[in-house]
Amino acid sequence: MATVRFVLVWTVIWLLGGPAGLALAAGGPASLEDGFTVHMTAWAEEEAANDLLIASLSVERTGPDSARLAAMVAEIMARALAEAGKYPQVKAATTAYSTQPIYQRRDGQSERVGWRIRQTLRLESTEVEATTELIGRLQALDLQLAGLSFSVSPARREALRETLTAAALDAWQTKAETAIKRLGGQVWRPHELQIQDEQYQPIQPLMRADIALAGEAAPPAVEAGTSQVRVTVSGTAWGR
């Protein structure tokens, strides 16, 4: 169930005397002098289970012959992609490729002594068991697990967004009505609104030292955790 919290901030208030009743105005203000405005913020949030696993694996080779290193990296990555293709529920894509020179100082000068070539593979899936099994298989193919994190999947987040947006708008409207009535307004209407959504407090990505495995092909032990999904409504209400 969504948790609704409110932050109420008045920025500009133009007060004119008026009866204590309150109704939704049919028209907006002709000017700031025609009533008063109140700016406020309200939000709704919900703790959602992380259901999207994102993993980054890489292959790296160093040596004096850049062409030979490139061929080695390409061969390993081709085998990795072929293995990932056996898991259609896991989205796999290469995301980075770098070739860097390696230097050493000799006799007071820098001299190139070799090359470092690295390519990264990104895995993404809501099927955690299949993904961790694939990670173990890729490690057996000489890829290194560089990072592992969880998030709320786009599909789950979109479903939450609809519910939270409605709750945040209802909360904002309640606060607007209460504030304008408290200030002596008889009628009111929303003047300008902004709706924003965000996801925060996800489980922290595991560091390299935390994901070292006892066995070369053993899948990592993971815990998805939760994230907070929030929709915030902020804006100005006009009253008179």
Side-chain angles (χ1 to χ4, degrees):
M1 183 177 181
T3 300
V4 180
R5 302 176 182 172
F6 311 102
V7 176
L8 189 61
V9 181
W10 285 275
T11 54
V12 181
I13 300 179
W14 293 78
L15 291 177
L16 296 176
L22 188 65
L24 189 63
S31 67
L32 287 179
E33 287 75 19
D34 183 24
F36 59 89
T37 58
V38 180
H39 183 85
M40 66 197 69
T41 298
W43 67 80
E45 63 181 16
E46 185 169 327
E47 185 174 340
N50 291 323
D51 62 333
L52 181 66
L53 172 59
I54 303 169
S56 177
L57 299 98
S58 64
V59 54
E60 183 178 296
R61 290 293 182 270
T62 59
D65 188 339
S66 62
R68 180 172 179 271
L69 296 174
M72 293 171 62
V73 168
E75 181 183 357
I76 294 171
M77 189 57 70
R79 292 203 307 267
L81 289 171
E83 188 66 32
K86 300 175 184 177
Y87 294 78
Q89 66 272 55
V90 181
K91 180 181 178 181
T94 54
T95 58
Y97 187 97
S98 63
T99 301
Q100 297 177 327
I102 300 173
Y103 292 96
Q104 283 185 357
R105 291 194 65 83
R106 293 180 180 175
D107 301 326
Q109 295 189 4
S110 267
E111 178 183 349
R112 192 183 69 206
V113 295
W115 298 89
R116 176 181 295 106
I117 296 182
R118 188 172 189 266
Q119 190 169 19
T120 302
L121 178 66
R122 176 186 171 93
L123 304 178
E124 187 176 304
S125 179
T126 56
E127 299 290 337
V128 175
E129 185 176 349
T131 307
T132 55
E133 179 180 304
L134 175 57
I135 290 171
R137 291 181 177 273
L138 294 178
Q139 288 184 307
L141 294 176
D142 216 12
L143 274 75
Q144 301 296 316
L145 183 56
L148 192 67
S149 63
F150 283 91
S151 182
V152 178
S153 66
R156 176 171 290 183
R157 183 173 175 179
E158 185 61 34
L160 284 172
R161 182 185 293 127
E162 183 176 351
T163 301
L164 293 176
T165 297
L169 284 169
D170 288 345
W172 188 91
Q173 178 175 329
T174 298
K175 280 296 183 182
E177 291 177 350
T178 300
I180 289 173
K181 183 177 182 180
R182 184 72 174 177
L183 293 169
Q186 182 181 16
V187 294
W188 82 282
R189 68 175 294 123
H191 181 50
E192 184 177 288
L193 292 178
Q194 290 185 338
I195 301 175
Q196 295 179 316
D197 68 276
E198 60 181 328
Q199 176 181 318
Y200 64 100
Q201 293 178 348
I203 187 171
Q204 293 299 316
L206 301 178
M207 303 302 291
R208 182 184 297 271
D210 298 324
I211 54 180
L213 305 181
E216 193 175 37
V222 296
E223 176 61 42
T226 61
S227 293
Q228 293 292 123
V229 179
R230 172 187 290 185
V231 172
T232 301
V233 175
S234 61
T236 303
W238 167 84
R240 180 176 59 189

